[in-house]
Amino acid sequence: MLRVVTWAEQPSDWWGWLLVLTGLVSGILGVVFALAQHDLKRLLACHSVENLGIIALGLGLGLLGLSGGSPLAAALGLGGGLLHVWNHAWFKSLLFMGAGALGKATGSLQIESGGGLLRRMPGTGGAFLVGSAAISGLPPLNGFVSEFLIFMSALELLASVHPLAGAAGLGGLALISGLAVACFTKVCGVVFLGEPRSPGAQKATEIRGSMLVPMLLLAGLCLLVGVMAPLGIGVLGAPLQQLAPQADLEPIRGSLGWVAALGGLVLLAGLGLGHALSRRPSQPGMTWDCGYSRPTARMQYTAASFAGPLLEMFSFVLKPRHHGSPLEGHFPAPVGHHGEVCDPFTQRLYEPISRSLMRLALRVRVFQHGEVQLYLLYILITLVALFIWEAL
Amino acid sequence: MSMLLGLFLAPLLAGLIHRVKAFFAGRQGRPLLQLYWDLARLVRKHMVLSRTTTPVFLLGPALSLVSLLACLTLIPLGGPALLRFPGDILLFLGLLALVRFATVLAAMDTGSSFEGMGASREVAIGALAEPGIFLSLAVLVVQTRALSLSGIWARSGPELWSRAGLVMVLVGIAMFLLLLAENSRIPVDDPNTHLELTMIHEVMVLDHSGPALAVIEYASALKLWIGSLLLSSLVFPLHSGSAWLDLLGGVGVVFLVALAVGLVESTSARLSMLRVPQFVGLSSALSLLALFLVIR
Amino acid sequence: MKPEILSYPEFSKKLAGRHLAALMGLPGRSGSVLMVAVTTPGAPSAGEEAGACPPGGLQLPATVVEGTFPSLTLEHPQAHGFEREFFEEWKVRPEGHPWLKPVRFPQGQPGLTDFFKVSGEEIHEVAVGPVHAGVIEPGHFRFQCRGEEVLHLEISLGYQHRGVEKALPGASPARSMAYVETLAGDTSVGHALAWCRNLEALAGIRVSARAEALRAVALELERLANHCGDLGALAGDVGYLPTASFCGRLRGDLLNLTGLACGNRFGRGWIRPGGVAWDLEPVRAEQIRTRLAGIMRDVRQALDLLGRSGSVQARFERTGILTREAALELGLVGPVARASGVALDCRRQFPWGPYLDPAFPVCTGLLGDVACRARVRIDEMEVSAAFLDSLLAHLPEGPLRVGMRAMAPKAFSVSLVEGWRGQICHVAATDTQGHLLACKVVDPSFRNWFGLALALRGQQISDFPLCNKSFNLSYCGHDL
């Protein structure tokens, strides 16, 4: 795709817009669907959709920078997009390897059947945690660096030639990264922390060194790219020259330096403080159970429950299906419950028009919720907006 | 200097909010300095560590506190911040996301359903708040053409208010709503309740004790300080010419914000959990409206 | 009145359409058990005025059971708790009982039961209690949740079982008063009154009009104080501080009125068999009357704030709905049932002394949500305050206390009192020597806890504390 861009003399606006919009849609939908998955591999696959969305968003913003005549925004967007391609390859391989290790150790890829694995598989767990932080775009890891570049590109556009695209990119990417944090805290929290939720997780042991070492190396790479970004940014120079001769990432090198320095410092100091805390006198106990002395592993938050509130908000895209009979009578008989979300592509790709109409209608319905005060506020906002319109 | 001020004064905000609420309830309220004593006492205590937990349990609070300290170096107060560079806004927001990531994982580490509940609510609110914060800062970026917090501080102020008052009002309201949501205040959360089932932030730290709890309490005081400081320095900065006066004014506004938080808490009830997303969404909508007004 | 011994099918038929106030066992011949039901007329239908239900109409059907008997719960769900209790006490098994779980636990094994489970990997359980974060009594709550939604709530109590019912027959009069006044600490007056009225009926004495009036003063002051505290707690639960703290203080002021009358803020030691222990001299009665008027002014102000706050009403409305059907089927009582439109009030159904006014208002709601339960309490406070105001102005004359006589042998007595939380039912039976043979105490909490569990179905788990407060039930009154 990028090759095509280089053939053209001057990219036109709509190419960039197309990429920005595809990026946003695929990014947000990708992460929302990931939140709803029960299977770790499917979840990671949905995240690939999300990350491709981020890449497309970066490239789109970069193209808009090119067409609008803002070389810095172009360099940042294209550079961020390209860097994210690499970064994504690293942390996603790491996470998939982690998922593989998990499947081997516990015999299941179901998120709900994990639990307590960081204690049993510290190497895998640690590497997976690093990968999760990286894919969630947290400093000082590599994911943050590429998202930083894309965000900067959006900010540049916002303040100069394409404010609307900048705003869309900024808000969309912020939403994506917020949801990604939610999704990966879910995975890490449910799979690696807490108590084992299945016999498989109970018996799990650390995997072979030959499987572990590549994961640890990749985790190290994620960190290295994060803190070495100011030095390594030049690597992006050559491909950038191809795309946009006048683009230059030099101005951002200083910022990246500070980001890396402060981020690295936070990590070190945090580890130090955590270590200091663990050295303080303590005694072992049990997790607070409200005085009930017979806790079970069922008394842990499940992944579905964890993602519940967010899924509820996005149920208009997800259309979750719940199986299970409702509880009936004052003294109900035992029932079971199961929920799932359908494959997005069968529904979404082939019925785009009806879907988008539906979505639009549902979006509008968000504003219809029966809260009189908020209605008043809407009216107020509209009045104020009209007033401004009139005044200008 | 301004950073030291934050380190020392942050716990005072909690005391101030309590006093405001006590005043409205017709009570005397706890001493203003209570949180300082609490912290001093907690630091000396032993901890109880659940057998379920891993190092993540202590790493969470530690990383949160350190990230917030790093944030503090980026925010101007009465003068440019200690560290400033184009794009420091993004690092600031990235660090806040790291705080959330660390706190939530530390909560999930206990395997408790209560803490899972709090964590789930926290990420849901956080994911919605994130666009709100980005967009409200974006408005300021467009208004001031500055890509760093200190830059915004330098170019914001009365002149900007006279030029784009409405936009600033919208941004101010949006940032205040986000402050309430992010700091687990009424109407989103009730920091005073003892009911696990309704809490958000408090329930996530149910199992932390002793020094770890001190770290958490101090970190949340700092978070409130940082939130108020953003409003003070970016929306209502003072440029009187005298650095001391600016500093004093900045701190004054921070305390005014805390006062406003206390007022809101005294006079309104909590929202139902179902309504919280709408509340947080409202702040994003306000920022978006402001943004459209700016770039139109 | 004597229990009427029937065959089992007739006994079961006798319960249809009626409110089951109590179900108790009496030792029968050769190991069998006499199961006695205390029933009162069922609620008037939804639209009807409460007065459609004429006073009186108590029935005492009984049947002899041995070993096992077909469970009544299938046809009369309101019997579920009583049958479980009956099973534990008499080891007679209600066959086919759909919910035969322990009500109370043998010594040293609290909380040991199989909880209802919703299976599925997405479901998580939340176990709350028995140790709670606030200063409240112990009880275990088990939620089956999907995300924030409660699919099912099961409440397991019994942590405070003291064996009061067993201890009462043999206890000295002074000791039994102490037991009764602390059956449920916040209902001292209600239970003391129900207990004393039973003893008086068995002894065949009538208390003076003045004593009855003073008893009504005690009962209504208790209602006022508790309703006021509940409303404050409801405000506190949604984080609405002004009403929460005002009502907290005003509850104290109302308790002080009881303290002014008898020296104890909970009215302990005021009500005694044969009458009351303390008089209200005209000066003191007037003092209470003026102070009450002042307190009510403040209460109205605090509640006005609550009513006018949109954010509070938004939380109260449509939260924790309990339908009229469910309230009737489960035999719920008190403000909780009235908020769901069940117009039952013992002050109207079984009036005595100053309550002998055919127009005594019964406050009801329609929807059965938290807002209705709050509204019924507010209305009842107004009714009680007006009632007290006129009663205190014209206290009838008469002796404070008449001497107790020996109790009749082989007698059976039922006493129904509308405590602030709802219908309190005490049953007492004497043996051939005229000594107490068996006592049955039914606190309103015993029935209403199940209503709370039902009201939570499909609700947000974060709304549980609010729903719980709107019921505000007693743990020790249930556990006995």
Side-chain angles (χ1 to χ4, degrees):
Chain A
M1 191 163 65
L2 281 175
R3 293 257 18 125
V4 182
V5 175
T6 56
W7 295 338
E9 284 286 303
Q10 176 75 18
S12 49
D13 267 7
W14 69 268
W15 297 2
W17 272 110
L18 190 66
L19 275 175
V20 167
L21 290 180
T22 355
L24 282 177
V25 170
S26 107
I28 295 175
L29 286 186
V31 68
V32 168
F33 273 94
L35 260 171
Q37 297 306 316
H38 295 294
D39 180 291
L40 187 51
K41 280 207 166 141
R42 291 186 70 139
L43 180 142
L44 291 177
C46 285
H47 267 288
S48 297
V49 176
E50 174 227 316
N51 278 290
L52 286 174
I54 296 179
I55 293 165
L57 178 64
L59 297 179
L61 290 174
L63 287 184
L64 283 174
L66 269 186
S67 65
S70 165
L72 184 56
L76 288 167
L78 294 172
L82 286 176
L83 185 61
H84 204 73
V85 174
W86 280 351
N87 287 340
H88 179 230
W90 291 324
F91 51 64
K92 193 47 74 63
S93 330
L94 164 59
L95 292 172
F96 267 117
M97 280 187 202
L102 202 73
K104 197 163 169 54
T106 67
S108 167
L109 280 171
Q110 290 296 309
I111 295 170
E112 310 277 15
S113 56
L117 292 176
L118 186 59
R119 272 179 167 262
R120 288 163 180 77
M121 311 164 69
T124 311
F128 198 92
L129 272 180
V130 173
S132 301
I135 197 172
S136 307
L138 297 178
L141 299 165
N142 58 351
F144 179 72
V145 176
S146 37
E147 286 189 18
F148 179 85
L149 293 178
I150 298 173
F151 270 128
M152 280 301 278
S153 161
L155 280 177
E156 279 291 336
L157 286 180
L158 190 64
S160 56
V161 288
H162 276 293
L164 202 59
L170 206 62
L173 191 52
L175 185 62
I176 294 171
S177 53
L179 290 171
V181 167
C183 191
F184 276 93
T185 46
K186 167 185 117 168
V187 175
C188 292
V190 173
V191 174
F192 288 99
L193 305 176
E195 288 288 334
R197 295 152 194 266
S198 70
Q202 185 81 47
K203 292 198 290 282
T205 48
E206 187 61 277
I207 45 156
R208 285 197 319 277
S210 58
M211 279 179 81
L212 189 55
V213 169
M215 275 198 278
L216 293 177
L217 282 178
L218 280 170
L221 202 58
C222 286
L223 184 60
L224 201 68
V225 172
V227 291
M228 289 298 164
L231 303 178
I233 202 81
V235 181
L236 286 174
L240 266 185
Q241 283 299 315
Q242 294 258 319
L243 290 171
Q246 69 276 52
D248 188 9
L249 276 175
E250 219 37 54
I252 205 68
R253 197 189 283 267
S255 292
L256 279 177
W258 282 115
V259 166
L262 203 57
L265 202 65
V266 162
L267 189 64
L268 279 181
L271 288 174
L273 183 59
H275 184 69
L277 274 179
S278 68
R279 298 295 291 271
R280 291 300 310 265
S282 69
Q283 58 215 54
M286 60 193 298
T287 297
W288 169 239
D289 56 358
C290 256
Y292 188 75
S293 44
R294 280 172 280 272
T296 66
R298 266 172 65 87
M299 288 176 205
Q300 295 187 76
Y301 231 56
T302 59
S305 291
F306 186 86
L310 278 171
L311 295 185
E312 197 68 35
M313 291 171 217
F314 287 97
S315 55
F316 61 92
V317 244
L318 288 169
K319 304 248 187 294
R321 278 193 232 162
H322 297 296
H323 307 290
S325 41
L327 276 73
E328 273 168 14
H330 303 317
F331 316 105
V335 293
H337 198 281
H338 176 70
E340 65 180 356
V341 165
C342 295
D343 188 346
F345 280 94
T346 46
Q347 295 186 341
R348 233 140 292 286
L349 213 60
Y350 305 123
E351 307 170 48
I353 297 165
S354 66
R355 287 289 145 183
S356 51
L357 276 174
M358 269 304 273
R359 220 172 295 143
L360 192 70
L362 284 160
R363 283 263 166 77
V364 176
R365 217 178 66 182
V366 170
F367 296 99
Q368 293 273 0
H369 40 57
E371 279 272 84
V372 178
Q373 302 98 303
L374 288 187
Y375 282 146
L376 288 177
L377 192 66
Y378 294 156
I379 295 169
L380 187 73
I381 290 171
T382 320
L383 281 177
V384 169
L386 286 175
F387 180 71
I388 303 286
W389 192 279
E390 197 57 38
L392 293 178
Chain B
M1 173 62 203
S2 60
M3 210 187 139
L4 282 180
L5 218 58
L7 292 182
F8 284 112
L9 290 182
L12 195 59
L13 290 187
L16 184 68
I17 294 177
H18 271 295
R19 284 307 270 269
V20 173
K21 288 171 75 170
F23 173 77
F24 273 88
R27 287 181 291 118
Q28 182 148 28
R30 61 178 84 162
L32 272 174
L33 300 181
Q34 186 61 43
L35 188 54
Y36 295 91
W37 302 123
D38 286 350
L39 289 174
R41 193 191 61 219
L42 283 173
V43 164
R44 279 181 280 126
K45 282 193 167 185
H46 284 212
M47 289 186 287
V48 178
L49 291 181
S50 162
R51 287 184 197 91
T52 309
T53 57
T54 62
V56 171
F57 182 67
L58 293 179
L59 213 53
L63 265 177
S64 308
L65 179 60
V66 174
S67 307
L68 288 169
L69 288 176
C71 284
L72 206 53
T73 61
L74 297 174
I75 309 185
L77 169 60
L82 195 61
L83 297 180
R84 48 188 186 276
F85 52 88
D88 60 5
I89 301 172
L90 299 172
L91 181 60
F92 172 81
L93 294 171
L95 287 170
L96 285 185
L98 181 61
V99 171
R100 181 171 305 124
F101 190 79
T103 318
V104 164
L105 282 186
M108 291 297 280
D109 198 17
T110 59
S112 147
S113 52
F114 300 118
E115 281 160 76
M117 201 183 295
S120 154
R121 292 170 184 166
E122 169 83 10
V123 292
I125 293 173
L128 290 185
E130 201 119 318
I133 308 176
F134 268 91
L135 290 174
S136 55
L137 287 177
V139 177
L140 295 173
V141 166
V142 178
Q143 288 283 293
T144 58
R145 311 266 151 183
L147 285 176
S148 81
L149 294 170
S150 298
I152 294 176
W153 167 81
R155 292 183 209 169
S156 176
E159 185 267 332
L160 189 55
W161 272 88
S162 60
R163 183 154 53 86
L166 180 74
V167 171
M168 295 304 276
V169 168
L170 288 177
V171 171
I173 293 174
M175 282 173 82
F176 184 69
L177 296 185
L178 287 166
L179 169 98
L180 293 176
E182 282 278 302
N183 287 289
S184 314
R185 313 299 315 191
I186 287 175
V188 172
D189 190 4
D190 183 356
N192 283 0
T193 183
H194 61 261
L195 304 158
E196 298 97 339
L197 299 178
T198 68
M199 299 191 267
I200 301 174
H201 180 259
E202 293 300 308
V203 77
M204 285 201 293
V205 302
L206 212 54
D207 267 283
H208 289 92
S209 54
L213 185 60
V215 166
I216 290 170
E217 292 285 343
Y218 186 57
S220 45
L222 267 186
K223 199 173 174 190
L224 185 60
W225 175 269
I226 287 171
S228 316
L229 198 54
L230 270 190
L231 263 174
S232 155
S233 293
L234 304 188
V235 183
F236 306 104
L238 210 62
H239 299 295
S240 61
S242 150
W244 285 104
L245 211 59
D246 289 356
L247 187 67
L248 212 65
V251 173
V253 174
V254 167
F255 280 100
L256 281 181
V257 172
L259 210 68
V261 172
L263 276 176
V264 169
E265 296 216 341
S266 307
T267 52
S268 67
R270 271 189 73 173
L271 290 170
S272 149
M273 282 292 170
L274 289 173
R275 296 259 177 260
V276 167
Q278 291 166 7
F279 178 84
V280 182
L282 179 66
S283 67
S284 298
L286 286 178
S287 315
L288 207 59
L289 184 67
L291 198 56
F292 282 134
L293 285 178
V294 170
I295 62 182
R296 190 172 57 86
Chain C
M1 207 171 160
K2 288 262 164 41
E4 171 193 11
I5 301 181
L6 306 164
S7 70
Y8 184 84
E10 280 179 57
F11 170 76
S12 177
K13 214 178 288 167
K14 270 278 196 187
L15 299 184
R18 295 182 58 86
H19 174 80
L20 182 62
L23 187 75
M24 70 181 294
L26 287 172
R29 279 189 211 92
S30 64
S32 65
V33 185
L34 184 66
M35 185 159 72
V36 185
V38 178
T39 67
T40 62
S45 55
E48 261 181 298
E49 214 277 344
C53 173
L58 189 77
Q59 285 180 5
L60 297 173
T63 190
V64 178
V65 292
E66 204 173 344
T68 64
F69 66 98
S71 170
L72 293 168
T73 305
L74 299 170
E75 272 186 57
H76 313 293
Q78 52 173 330
H80 78 99
F82 292 115
E83 280 195 315
R84 285 154 65 189
E85 194 183 30
F86 193 82
F87 173 50
E88 269 164 42
E89 204 171 326
W90 299 96
K91 308 287 174 246
V92 180
R93 191 178 189 86
E95 281 303 325
H97 193 297
W99 206 252
L100 199 56
K101 301 184 179 229
V103 177
R104 299 166 188 121
F105 297 93
Q107 203 95 47
Q109 303 181 322
L112 197 64
T113 172
D114 283 331
F115 289 98
F116 176 82
K117 250 186 204 174
V118 178
S119 58
E121 74 276 19
E122 292 189 343
I123 309 300
H124 72 268
E125 290 184 10
V126 181
V128 182
V131 181
H132 298 287
V135 185
I136 37 178
E137 300 173 78
H140 184 72
F141 299 83
R142 184 68 66 93
F143 297 88
Q144 309 286 324
C145 295
R146 196 179 60 84
E148 298 271 335
E149 186 194 355
V150 178
L151 298 175
H152 188 261
L153 162 65
E154 187 171 345
I155 302 171
S156 169
L157 302 175
Y159 290 90
Q160 305 212 87
H161 182 41
R162 296 147 288 165
V164 180
E165 280 180 346
K166 284 272 179 305
L168 276 174
S172 67
R175 189 177 290 269
S176 59
M177 273 322 289
Y179 277 138
V180 168
E181 286 186 328
T182 52
L183 266 176
D186 47 19
T187 320
S188 289
V189 171
H191 276 292
L193 190 54
W195 174 250
C196 290
R197 284 171 59 78
N198 254 348
L199 294 188
E200 288 148 11
L202 289 172
I205 57 171
R206 278 193 65 89
V207 300
S208 72
R210 185 169 187 85
E212 281 192 322
L214 291 180
R215 285 174 168 192
V217 170
L219 192 64
E220 296 308 319
L221 280 177
E222 186 172 75
R223 188 182 326 276
L224 280 175
N226 279 299
H227 279 0
C228 181
D230 280 358
L231 289 164
L234 279 173
D237 247 18
V238 295
Y240 189 65
L241 286 181
T243 305
S245 29
F246 280 127
C247 282
R249 171 176 75 77
L250 293 167
R251 171 179 171 269
D253 288 348
L254 286 163
L255 288 176
N256 285 343
L257 294 186
T258 309
L260 185 66
C262 73
N264 182 292
R265 293 178 5 120
F266 298 99
R268 285 173 198 164
W270 196 356
I271 291 165
R272 284 293 173 265
V276 290
W278 305 96
D279 196 11
L280 278 184
E281 307 83 358
V283 179
R284 207 195 295 255
E286 194 48 41
Q287 205 182 345
I288 292 182
R289 203 169 146 239
T290 39
R291 271 170 68 171
L292 180 64
I295 294 170
M296 283 308 290
R297 234 187 345 266
D298 289 358
V299 166
R300 277 180 208 115
Q301 213 173 357
L303 295 179
D304 199 40
L305 280 177
L306 190 75
R308 270 188 311 178
S309 163
S311 55
V312 172
Q313 293 306 317
R315 283 299 304 281
F316 282 7
E317 277 161 20
R318 292 187 296 281
T319 302
I321 292 181
L322 186 79
T323 60
R324 184 183 141 84
E325 288 66 40
L328 275 177
E329 279 178 23
L330 292 168
L332 303 192
V333 294
V336 168
R338 289 195 281 276
S340 297
V342 178
L344 287 181
D345 188 325
C346 290
R347 290 174 291 177
R348 184 73 170 267
Q349 286 178 284
F350 302 97
W352 46 272
Y355 295 111
L356 284 163
D357 164 16
F360 192 87
V362 175
C363 311
T364 55
L366 277 177
L367 295 172
D369 54 2
V370 173
C372 281
R373 289 191 278 275
R375 175 44 59 188
V376 165
R377 285 185 171 93
I378 294 173
D379 293 347
E380 289 194 357
M381 284 187 79
E382 288 297 348
V383 169
S384 294
F387 175 77
L388 276 179
D389 190 64
S390 67
L391 189 59
L392 286 167
H394 310 286
L395 282 174
E397 290 306 316
L400 279 190
R401 209 170 159 180
V402 293
M404 283 296 287
R405 277 185 258 152
M407 288 186 282
K410 295 188 76 171
F412 192 90
S413 167
V414 175
S415 146
L416 290 162
V417 168
E418 189 71 24
W420 66 273
R421 202 181 259 129
Q423 182 192 65
I424 298 170
C425 179
H426 280 216
V427 185
T430 54
D431 60 10
T432 47
Q433 270 87 45
H435 295 133
L436 280 179
L437 170 72
C439 295
K440 175 79 204 150
V441 173
V442 187
D443 187 83
S445 307
F446 185 75
R447 270 168 301 200
N448 285 4
W449 274 114
F450 204 82
L452 171 62
L454 208 62
L456 247 282
R457 255 188 231 174
Q459 292 286 311
Q460 297 284 299
I461 193 169
S462 53
D463 283 336
F464 169 69
L466 182 62
C467 291
N468 190 17
K469 284 278 164 37
S470 74
F471 278 73
N472 190 15
L473 302 173
S474 165
Y475 298 68
C476 59
H478 172 278
D479 295 349
L480 296 178

